[in-house]
Structures are given as structure tokens and as C-alpha cells.
């Protein structure tokens, strides 16, 4: 089932748009348009779409997150769908009280609803943890090389503990991210990322 603020709350059809505090004043026509996302600000939850067949002047038509069709009810989920620049989309147009056109019932151009999470979600969320883990690994490797140059051959316990802590943090974050995907009813296999480190064989240099 597809949920959308304006279509599931007909009793409050004239509602306040949080982005610019203007009221909608018309229902969308039956005609659908195609276009390309010019830009979308996720922190402010709005953007603009260029309409195919029209001159690309100005910012295009306004789109707010509440007018993006989603497989999730916005009343029940804190995860909102969002658009990305250069994506092809399909939508209807309606006019607000000030006479400006806005895009509503927005989907991908092929009619698919916009998912709350994108395929790169895990990779993006795990990027900082991977960076932290890489720093810890580099540190222990540099220390090991220095000790070998000095004729020593033992593991730096302090550096090893930092790596173990970074691995634990990475695995915990990955578990939480996977749980979030499952709670949204989405398939883990649609979100590529590396395995947990507990599922891999670590090189001997990183073991006690």
C-alpha cells in the first residue's frame, strides 16, 4: 500500500506546508509529467524538479517530502523518502494559493515508489567506522614495522586493543543498520556492504 500525506488526509486537504508556510489550493490534475530532480535538500526536506518539455529556467517546480509517494506511512515511520539530484521522476502538478506549481504524487519515472533507504545506505553509514578501523590497523602495522626494525618481535597490546575496540564498534553499528533495514521491511541483499569482522578470518598480525 502506498501512503502519502495529501491523499490519505483528504479531510485536511488544505494543510500548511512546513517548507514555506503556504497553503495548497487545488487538487492535482489527472495528467502525469516526467522530469529530472534539479536538487534536493534532505535536511530541509524539499527540492525542485525540472519538467520535461519546458524551458529549464529558474528552480523548476517545488517538491516537498510529504508529496513523495512511499511504501511506508509517514504517521508510523520516522524514515522519510528523499530524492537525489539527476534522478528521473514522474509526478502530477497542482497549484498553491500563490499560483505556484508544485509536484505531488512523486515516484521514480517507471512508477516505483521512492524507498526510505537507498542501496548505498550501509556503505554510507559504515564509512566513518571503516575509516576509524583503517586508522587503527595502520597504527599497529606501523608500530610493528618499527619494532621489527629495532629487532623486536612482539605485538603492541595497546594498539591491538584499539583495533579490537574499533572492530567491535564496526560490528555493532553494522548490526544496528541491518536491523533498521529489516524493520522497514526491506531486503538486506539489496544493500551491499562487507561482512562483519566476526564473520571473517583476521590476519595473524592482528591477533593476540
Amino acid at each position: 500500500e502506498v501512503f502519502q500525506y495529501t491523499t490519505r488526509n483528504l479531510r485536511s486537504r488544505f494543510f500548511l506546508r512546513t517548507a514555506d508556510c503556504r497553503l495548497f489550493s487545488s487538487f492535482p490534475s489527472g495528467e502525469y509529467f516526467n522530469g529530472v530532480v534539479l536538487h534536493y535538500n534532505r535536511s530541509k526536506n524539499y527540492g525542485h524538479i525540472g519538467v520535461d518539455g519546458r524551458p529549464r529556467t529558474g528552480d523548476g517546480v517545488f517538491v516537498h517530502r510529504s508529496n513523495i509517494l512511499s511504501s511506508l506511512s509517514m504517521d508510523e515511520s520516522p524514515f522519510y523518502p528523499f530524492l537525489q539530484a539527476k534522478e528521473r521522476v514522474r509526478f502530477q502538478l497542482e497549484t498553491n494559493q500563490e499560483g505556484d506549481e508544485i509536484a505531488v504524487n512523486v515516484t521514480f519515472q517507471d512508477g516505483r515508489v521512492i524507498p526510505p533507504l537507498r542501496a548505498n545506505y550501509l556503505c554510507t553509514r559504515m564509512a566513518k567506522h571503516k575509516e576509524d578501523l583503517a586508522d587503527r590497523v595502520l597504527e599497529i602495522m606501523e608500530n610493528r614495522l618499527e619494532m621489527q626494525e629495532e629487532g623486536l618481535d612482539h605485538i603492541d597490546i595497546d594498539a591491538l586493543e584499539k583495533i579490537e575496540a574499533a572492530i567491535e564498534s564496526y560490528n555493532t553499528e553494522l548490526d544496528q543498520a541491518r536491523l533498521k533495514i529489516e524493520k522497514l521491511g526491506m531486503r538486506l541483499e539489496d544493500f551491499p556492504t562487507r561482512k562483519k569482522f566476526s564473520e571473517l578470518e583476521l590476519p595473524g598480525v592482528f591477533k593476540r
Side-chain angles (χ1 to χ4, degrees), residues 18-84:
T18 57
D20 64 357
C21 298
R22 292 181 292 187
L23 297 175
F24 296 134
S25 60
S26 71
F27 289 93
S29 65
E31 183 179 3
Y32 280 87
F33 299 83
N34 293 325
V36 61
V37 179
L38 302 178
H39 63 87
Y40 190 86
N41 188 322
R42 288 190 65 185
S43 64
K44 296 182 179 180
N45 300 304
Y46 72 84
H48 290 86
I49 299 173
V51 184
D52 288 356
R54 295 185 180 182
R56 294 290 169 82
T57 58
D59 290 331
V61 296
F62 179 92
V63 58
H64 185 259
R65 77 177 181 197
S66 60
N67 288 318
I68 300 174
L69 292 184
S70 173
S71 58
L72 301 172
S73 167
M74 291 185 189
D75 287 338
E76 300 171 357
S77 173
F79 308 112
Y80 298 103
F82 61 92
L83 302 176
Q84 296 178 325

Side-chain angles (χ1 to χ4, degrees), residues 33 38 46 101 131 146 163 175-176 185 198 204 208:
F33 299 83
L38 302 178
Y46 72 84
E101 286 186 315
E131 180 181 342
E146 289 177 1
I163 285 185
D175 281 338
Q176 293 175 349
S198 58
R208 292 184 184 275

Side-chain angles (χ1 to χ4, degrees), residues 59-114:
D59 290 331
V61 296
F62 179 92
V63 58
H64 185 259
R65 77 177 181 197
S66 60
N67 288 318
I68 300 174
L69 292 184
S70 173
S71 58
L72 301 172
S73 167
M74 291 185 189
D75 287 338
E76 300 171 357
S77 173
F79 308 112
Y80 298 103
F82 61 92
L83 302 176
Q84 296 178 325
K86 300 183 180 180
E87 284 184 328
R88 299 289 305 172
V89 290
R90 183 171 182 259
F91 51 93
Q92 294 176 290
L93 294 174
E94 66 178 27
T95 306
N96 64 16
Q97 283 188 338
E98 295 183 0
D100 297 326
E101 286 186 315
I102 59 172
V104 300
N105 299 327
V106 181
T107 66
F108 287 127
Q109 184 167 298
D110 61 7
R112 291 178 297 122
V113 296
I114 311 297

Side-chain angles (χ1 to χ4, degrees), residues 7 14 18 35 43 50 52-53 68 71 80 144 149 154 160 162 181 202 204-205:
T7 57
F14 301 99
T18 57
S43 64
D52 288 356
I68 300 174
S71 58
Y80 298 103
R144 185 69 183 274
E149 291 175 356
H154 66 273
L160 186 57
K162 290 181 180 179
I181 291 171
L202 295 177
V205 69

Side-chain angles (χ1 to χ4, degrees), residues 134-152:
D135 289 343
R136 301 289 79 77
V137 170
L138 181 60
E139 179 182 352
I140 194 172
M141 292 180 69
E142 289 177 342
N143 290 342
R144 185 69 183 274
L145 288 174
E146 289 177 1
M147 288 188 292
Q148 288 178 341
E149 291 175 356
E150 296 174 1
L152 302 175

